[in-house]
Amino acid sequence: MILDNMAPKLNGIIVKRILGALAASVLLHGLAQADGPSPPKLTAESVTFGATGATAIFADLSKGDSRKIVLEKLKRAKFREIEEEKQRGIVRCAAKLNGFRYDLVCRFEDDRLKLCVLEGRKGWQFSFYDEILEPQWTNLRQRLVKTYGAKRNTRAFPKIDEVPLNDPGGVITDTWELEDRLVVLAVQAFEIKDCCTNRLIEYTTCLAFVQPK
């Protein structure tokens, strides 16, 4: 009974550690473009979540794929804006899901694909959280529920003042602890110093990650 009660806490700690490891490579990317013109729209649906029991994580990317294989698969599937960040051990590209623009981030360890992240846009404007971030988060949740089922640890979309600043774990809204993978949906808030005004600006974003076991 005690172990059963501890399980959600232990899972939460593991999830926050993963999100913390992703923070430097995921959250800080693209802030210079976050408040500029919207990126060009993609013309085709390019992202699907791998089903439980399948080898795929996203699209046809599989656990253990080398960086070279992942790059070849992304190019063959006509993903756009492919970038390789060798020092951070990641490959990223633009992706589209139900008409929404995201970044697909692939993280490697020892040149083997370990997990994938689908990251929403980042913004700081007053209306961004409700008008842009929440619809992106809702879109991710609906697709994840469709793929992995409604049975999960879940909570409602948080109010902006409920999201802790500079906490890599942010607010975890949904967790699927499946036989072959861990799937998490979260909302995050963080501060970045503006290079022009030297003031701290609060950004928010949402992301979903899938880590095979």
Side-chain angles (χ1 to χ4, degrees), residues 59-141:
D60 63 345
L61 305 179
S62 300
K63 177 184 177 181
D65 281 351
S66 68
R67 189 189 311 269
K68 180 180 179 181
I69 290 175
V70 167
L71 288 169
E72 289 175 352
K73 287 182 175 181
L74 292 176
K75 292 174 182 177
R76 186 166 60 246
K78 298 183 179 179
F79 280 81
R80 299 183 181 183
E81 302 173 37
I82 300 172
E83 300 178 16
E84 186 176 6
E85 301 178 27
K86 292 183 179 180
Q87 291 184 342
R88 292 179 174 177
I90 64 173
V91 169
R92 68 170 66 244
C93 64
K96 184 181 179 183
L97 184 65
N98 295 338
F100 287 86
R101 158 68 187 256
Y102 298 92
D103 278 350
L104 173 59
V105 183
C106 307
R107 187 178 182 193
F108 298 82
E109 284 191 3
D110 299 323
D111 196 38
R112 298 297 172 186
L113 183 61
K114 182 177 181 180
L115 61 87
C116 290
V117 182
L118 204 60
E119 180 193 16
R121 292 183 62 188
K122 312 173 191 70
W124 60 269
Q125 299 95 332
F126 180 75
S127 60
F128 177 85
Y129 192 80
D130 294 324
E131 295 181 4
I132 298 178
L133 190 150
E134 185 174 4
Q136 285 202 320
W137 170 88
T138 300
N139 183 51
L140 283 174
R141 170 181 266 187

Side-chain angles (χ1 to χ4, degrees), residues 136-156:
Q136 285 202 320
W137 170 88
T138 300
N139 183 51
L140 283 174
R141 170 181 266 187
Q142 290 174 345
R143 178 55 69 92
L144 290 169
V145 168
K146 183 177 180 180
T147 304
Y148 300 115
K151 185 178 180 181
R152 67 201 190 279
N153 292 326
T154 185
R155 58 152 291 166

Side-chain angles (χ1 to χ4, degrees), residues 142-211:
Q142 290 174 345
R143 178 55 69 92
L144 290 169
V145 168
K146 183 177 180 180
T147 304
Y148 300 115
K151 185 178 180 181
R152 67 201 190 279
N153 292 326
T154 185
R155 58 152 291 166
F157 184 74
K159 295 179 180 179
I160 192 168
D161 58 4
E162 295 177 335
V163 184
L165 267 176
N166 302 319
D167 179 353
V171 173
I172 298 168
T173 61
D174 300 85
T175 306
W176 288 261
E177 183 73 43
L178 305 172
E179 292 183 2
D180 63 343
R181 66 194 67 205
L182 174 65
V183 183
V184 172
L185 178 61
V187 177
Q188 298 168 316
F190 49 98
E191 293 177 313
I192 296 295
K193 184 176 290 187
D194 182 76
C195 60
C196 298
T197 64
N198 209 34
R199 296 175 59 185
L200 290 174
I201 299 177
E202 297 179 8
Y203 286 87
T204 54
T205 190
C206 63
L207 61 82
F209 79 75
V210 180
Q211 181 174 27

